[in-house]
Amino acid sequence: MTTTTGAPSATTAEIGGIGHSIKRKEDDRFIHGQGRYLDDHVLPGMLHLALLRSPLPHARIVKIDTSEAEALPGVVACVTGEALAAHGLAWMPTLSGDTQAVLATDKVRFQGQEVVGVVAESPYVAWDALELIDVEYDALPTIIDPKAALEDGAALIRDDKEGQTDNSCYQWEAGDKATTDQAFAAADKVVSIDTHYPRSHPAPLETCGCIADLDPVTGQATIYMTSQAPHAIRTLFAMVAGLPEENIRVISPDIGGGFGNKVPIYPGYVVATAASLLIGKPVKWVETRTENLISTGFARDYHMHAELALKNDGQMLGLKVDMVSDNGAFYADAQPSKFKAGLFHVCTGSYNFPAAHVVTKGAYTNKAPGGVAYRCSFRITEAAYLIERLVQNAAYELGIDPAELRTKNFIRPDQFPYHSPTGFVYDSGDYDAALQKALDAIGYAGIAKEKEEARKEGKLVGVGISSFTEAVGAGPSKDYDIAGIKMFDSAELRVHPTGKAILKLGSRHQGQGHETTYAQIVASELGIPAADITVREGDTDNTPYGLGTYGSRSTPTSGAAAAVIARQLREKSRKIAAHLLEASEDDLDWEPGKFVVKGAPDRSVTIQDVALAAYTNYPDGTEPGLEGVHYYDPPNLTYPFGSYAAVIEIDEETGQWKTRRMVAVDDCGVRINPMIVEGQLHGGLAEGFAMSSMQFITFDEDGNCIGSNFTDYLIPTSWETPRFELGETVTPCPHHPIGAKGVGESATVGSPAAWVNAVIDALAPTGVRNIDMPVTPARVWEAMQGAKAG
Ligand code: CDP
């Protein structure tokens, strides 16, 4: 096995390997309207499922009457929780080891919870039939505030769980309390912040859905599903439904965006599968936009308190964090089993903290479950936001420039591998280089003057910095598993006799461009043009086992597997080339795409010659063919980082603010396709901007979801999205075969703090130290009035 790290050899534009900004291969079919998404699939005899959802956030179910609905022509069956209970399917396990109702039997616990499924010959009949179902509810007190949920005497939400006497769903800690207390005792100054990272929703363009097709004769179950992790879903389905795993085939067709929303198992998938099993016909379920927003995997909703202990000269001594997460009615977060609050304990960020202690508590509330990694690696967005807001405030309290305070405390390049006080081992980085690049680009030295000039026009200008570090690419499997399944990933590569290739992976892209970038990895390693390499993902019968695509894990895991298997095939190719050239293997030099006899440049064979020979003229004792599979268990996470700097202006009269500049300097190690990386960053910046300024889901005191449609839940369009300027530094990952780190979500993780810090910076002279996201004009105006009032 060859897993040595090394800079990939340069390839020609024709080969199009690593470093070439080739156009995305998959876009041809997407921009021609030829993508095949879930709803494009129509199977013979297919029925349609619609779900009746609870209008109340917390209520006991007194009675369910489906008789009128069942009598509607075209209705095939009404499925209730009681019917599912008869098959042991009324409840299902969640990815966090909790249980979740598939269809409610005892009570409903959030507005929008699934209560009855109607299967009909058309989706319209199924939806009409929902109107005819009569459910009698007995309303119960609603809890929407997680801190109130944890108070003594709060109404018990999870009375279904034996031994559950309160609304606590987990309590967890990381770091060392005693050393952190000591560090605080030695501090000249302690700066604190209380902030809320609001509930948000990934809102992918395509909502969730599935078609379950269980053949009653063969017992074969084919499930088409909008899943970011089809292999893991197949295993969990086998475990939950008791179906033999070899009979289950999960196919994730083209997916119109996932952002973490398509990782969990949703009740609709289970009801459709159960209905297909019982009826013997394919059953399709596709969510509406509102169903997606009110019931599937939300993100964030962290109430965070943090304290930073410092010396007067700015040296950071310790960090204390106390956090309450709102997990909704079922603890269904998509995160590694071992870590109850995801990787939130990476909240020491880019700084060299001698000590840190993080306490996290989770509360059940009457809201939808989820806690998915929305364009972040398992809760890292919240962590990055918290530390970057806190450091900015510390700078004001100490009277030190925020950039200088960061530089003073960054983990230095010579400290890597760096052991963080909460248990991470950062691989590499040069944080100050990225920061200085961002500061230079934004003209930091001239900001004071810019502020002064703006002041004359009634504008308050502020500059905000965010220097974040992420931890992405789970495994290693020794530390990371989802519901017991270890986190690694895989690649299977076959070079055909004509020298073209097919690469199959355990990951599943939802728009990230894997069909292009993975082909580029193989192109670099084997010299076969990327255009000649087909990449396949998403069909469990036809790809090797893997944990899927989320949390920027694909490049660090399946991308690495692709490089390793390609190297293994290159080694085999060397044997065949030696045979063809009648030379010793050691006498062959490798140039991208061909083996050349040392000292005899006219004696060479191309990789295409070798591929043909692998099936027609291979040396004795060599296995025919040019094909292999590699399962890659990374030795560590990868640690991309960056520094973002935003300049904003606030209109004093209205509180309206707008972005003047946003510079994003990212370091994700070696970039496979720089254009795709930039696309990922632009998307992430747009989402980060939205979260800082307008995108959030809230609830009224009766538990009604405000944000159930795109009029209330404001996702960014090109109209409000500002211009971004990108920059890069390159610190190759020391343990990744091609030196790459993940990048898919860096900008969503890193950017919100930059914008909010910029707004706070503009208001800092008035003493304002925090405005919770989203920083709307109303909130800014209110903060300005508060500051004026004293
Ligand atoms: O897991 P996911 O694909 O969402 O995230 P990722 O591994 O960070 O990759 C996102 C996209 O950027 C993929 O197409 C990667 O191959 C590409 N990428 C790259 O070209 N260079 C990197 N250093 C990292 C990612």
Side-chain angles (χ1 to χ4, degrees):
M1 193 182 72
T2 321
T3 51
T4 45
T5 300
S9 39
T11 55
T12 59
E14 196 196 332
I15 292 175
I18 292 171
H20 290 276
S21 285
I22 61 175
K23 285 190 181 165
R24 301 195 341 157
K25 292 163 66 140
E26 48 269 73
D27 284 353
D28 228 5
R29 70 174 188 281
F30 293 147
I31 61 180
H32 284 98
Q34 296 303 313
R36 290 264 294 154
Y37 297 93
L38 187 274
D39 209 16
D40 292 322
H41 290 74
V42 176
L43 303 187
M46 189 171 80
L47 302 173
H48 299 267
L49 170 71
L51 295 171
L52 182 72
R53 294 174 181 277
S54 169
L56 298 177
H58 200 193
R60 210 156 282 291
I61 296 176
V62 180
K63 194 186 74 183
I64 300 177
D65 183 354
T66 58
S67 53
E68 260 192 74
E70 275 163 40
L72 187 73
V75 169
V76 178
C78 288
V79 188
T80 59
E82 221 169 277
L84 289 181
H87 299 273
L89 291 174
W91 290 81
M92 62 181 187
T94 69
L95 295 179
S96 299
D98 195 4
T99 48
Q100 178 174 352
V102 177
L103 293 175
T105 47
D106 52 344
K107 55 180 202 178
V108 287
R109 292 173 172 84
F110 68 93
Q111 186 189 57
Q113 188 179 336
E114 301 78 2
V115 181
V116 182
V118 172
V119 182
E121 285 163 7
S122 84
Y124 311 104
V125 173
W127 278 96
D128 284 350
L130 296 185
E131 308 271 320
L132 304 175
I133 297 171
D134 186 20
V135 183
E136 195 184 318
Y137 296 101
D138 190 2
L140 294 165
T142 299
I143 309 177
I144 54 154
D145 174 357
K147 290 184 182 163
L150 293 178
E151 277 167 16
D152 287 346
L156 184 62
I157 295 171
R158 295 302 303 275
D159 48 350
D160 56 291
K161 292 181 76 169
E162 221 180 297
Q164 179 83 35
T165 54
D166 56 23
N167 292 317
S168 162
C169 70
Y170 74 86
Q171 182 149 0
W172 191 77
E173 58 188 273
D176 188 85
K177 185 170 180 333
T179 54
T180 308
D181 284 343
Q182 279 165 16
F184 273 72
D188 293 329
K189 193 152 195 91
V190 173
V191 179
S192 66
I193 191 167
D194 280 284
T195 188
H196 178 220
Y197 204 124
R199 181 171 272 239
S200 191
H201 196 285
L205 208 55
E206 179 201 30
T207 58
C208 301
C210 75
I211 307 169
D213 181 15
L214 278 88
D215 187 320
V217 178
T218 62
Q220 178 69 41
T222 307
I223 303 169
Y224 299 81
M225 193 187 278
T226 51
S227 174
Q228 295 176 230
H231 289 278
I233 291 279
R234 183 188 60 180
T235 302
L236 294 173
F237 256 56
M239 288 171 170
V240 175
L243 296 168
E245 194 168 359
E246 76 279 12
N247 278 358
I248 309 174
R249 178 179 180 191
V250 175
I251 299 173
S252 290
D254 284 332
I255 299 181
F259 310 110
N261 184 237
K262 290 170 179 165
V263 174
I265 299 186
Y266 293 122
Y269 300 153
V270 180
V271 180
T273 306
S276 178
L277 183 69
L278 297 175
I279 299 165
K281 288 190 174 180
V283 175
K284 180 188 263 189
W285 168 70
V286 178
E287 282 177 335
T288 62
R289 175 60 56 197
T290 292
E291 288 184 289
N292 181 254
L293 287 173
I294 65 171
S295 71
T296 61
F298 78 91
R300 326 286 193 243
D301 221 345
Y302 267 30
H303 297 257
M304 304 177 284
H305 171 80
E307 294 173 23
L308 178 54
L310 301 124
K311 286 282 183 201
N312 278 334
D313 67 0
Q315 189 197 343
M316 295 177 188
L317 302 176
L319 179 72
K320 284 184 188 172
V321 175
D322 198 344
M323 179 278 281
V324 175
S325 67
D326 184 335
N327 295 70
F330 306 103
Y331 178 32
D333 296 18
Q335 65 202 10
S337 310
K338 210 162 128 183
F339 305 102
K340 296 292 178 196
L343 306 187
F344 175 73
H345 54 303
V346 76
C347 56
T348 52
S350 309
Y351 307 102
N352 183 18
F353 275 105
H357 186 233
V358 180
V359 177
T360 66
K361 298 174 215 106
Y364 289 118
T365 61
N366 293 119
K367 296 179 185 166
V372 297
Y374 170 13
R375 223 167 171 171
C376 84
S377 181
F378 311 117
R379 303 296 199 164
I380 284 178
T381 310
E382 293 91 326
Y385 179 72
L386 180 65
I387 187 68
E388 286 309 295
R389 286 286 301 107
L390 184 59
V391 168
Q392 187 89 2
N393 281 5
Y396 301 134
E397 297 304 319
L398 290 172
I400 298 178
D401 177 86
E404 201 184 309
L405 183 61
R406 287 178 166 87
T407 296
K408 185 176 176 67
N409 288 283
F410 277 149
I411 300 161
R412 295 186 317 273
D414 62 3
Q415 287 179 290
F416 293 98
Y418 172 79
H419 291 253
S420 88
T422 55
F424 294 88
V425 184
Y426 294 16
D427 55 39
S428 58
D430 187 344
Y431 299 153
D432 204 41
L435 175 60
Q436 296 310 325
K437 200 162 184 178
L439 296 180
D440 286 349
I442 207 132
Y444 196 67
I447 287 291
K449 194 153 176 268
E450 190 175 337
K451 284 182 177 178
E452 214 179 284
E453 275 164 17
R455 202 74 190 84
K456 293 179 201 149
E457 292 162 22
K459 308 265 190 252
L460 299 170
V461 161
V463 58
I465 300 168
S466 171
S467 293
F468 65 96
T469 293
E470 281 191 275
V472 307
S477 67
K478 67 179 167 51
D479 294 326
Y480 299 96
D481 71 272
I482 295 260
I485 308 171
K486 299 282 189 186
M487 297 186 82
F488 50 79
D489 229 287
S490 59
E492 183 186 313
L493 177 61
R494 180 190 306 163
V495 183
H496 304 300
T498 54
K500 318 282 180 188
I502 183 162
L503 176 71
K504 302 173 180 180
L505 305 125
S507 44
R508 198 335 155 211
H509 69 95
Q510 317 108 47
Q512 292 92 332
H514 290 183
E515 292 177 36
T516 309
T517 50
Y518 285 169
Q520 290 184 263
I521 294 173
V522 174
S524 271
E525 299 294 340
L526 284 181
I528 298 174
D532 290 348
I533 302 163
T534 297
V535 174
R536 294 256 190 268
E537 296 181 321
D539 178 346
T540 57
D541 267 9
N542 290 308
T543 50
Y545 201 95
L547 269 287
T549 292
Y550 42 87
S552 281
R553 69 180 298 277
S554 304
T555 302
T557 57
S558 56
V564 173
I565 191 58
R567 283 177 195 178
Q568 289 178 6
L569 294 196
R570 195 170 71 209
E571 287 315 299
K572 181 171 181 181
S573 298
R574 179 181 289 277
K575 279 191 191 0
I576 298 172
H579 167 70
L580 294 177
L581 291 164
E582 295 178 346
S584 141
E585 282 177 51
D586 296 339
D587 282 343
L588 298 185
D589 277 336
W590 168 253
E591 290 173 15
K594 62 179 176 183
F595 290 98
V596 185
V597 178
K598 282 184 180 142
D602 54 327
R603 290 186 61 211
S604 66
V605 283
T606 64
I607 188 75
Q608 288 79 8
D609 298 330
V610 169
L612 187 62
Y615 298 87
T616 58
N617 176 18
Y618 42 89
D620 284 346
T622 303
E623 200 179 309
L626 199 51
E627 176 170 353
V629 60
H630 182 76
Y631 278 72
Y632 184 82
D633 186 359
N636 191 4
L637 296 162
T638 67
Y639 292 81
F641 60 92
S643 267
Y644 295 176
V647 180
I648 63 95
E649 63 173 47
I650 302 173
D651 182 331
E652 259 189 304
E653 304 262 301
T654 63
Q656 289 276 359
W657 63 275
K658 69 176 188 201
T659 308
R660 285 189 166 190
R661 303 272 305 276
M662 170 44 120
V663 171
V665 175
D666 276 273
D667 191 321
C668 59
V670 172
R671 296 184 175 203
I672 302 164
N673 183 320
M675 183 175 64
I676 287 182
V677 168
E678 286 180 11
Q680 295 285 306
L681 293 170
H682 277 164
L685 282 160
E687 284 179 277
F689 171 71
M691 274 171 227
S692 64
S693 61
M694 63 193 205
Q695 180 178 306
F696 74 131
I697 287 188
T698 186
F699 292 77
D700 71 14
E701 57 193 24
D702 297 324
N704 295 305
C705 176
I706 317 292
S708 62
N709 57 71
F710 283 159
T711 313
D712 294 328
Y713 185 61
L714 303 178
I715 58 168
T717 67
S718 56
W719 179 254
E720 51 277 304
T721 304
R723 243 187 100 244
F724 310 125
E725 299 158 61
L726 305 185
E728 70 171 305
T729 59
V730 180
T731 313
C733 174
H735 63 76
H736 189 278
I738 58 165
K741 304 177 180 185
V743 75
E745 52 226 16
S746 293
T748 318
V749 170
S751 65
W755 272 294
V756 179
N757 279 342
V759 173
I760 299 300
D761 186 58
L763 301 176
T766 65
V768 172
R769 287 290 179 270
N770 190 46
I771 302 175
D772 276 345
M773 287 194 291
V775 180
T776 58
R779 286 182 175 180
V780 173
W781 197 81
E782 225 171 79
M784 290 195 298
Q785 299 315 303
K788 269 187 205 155

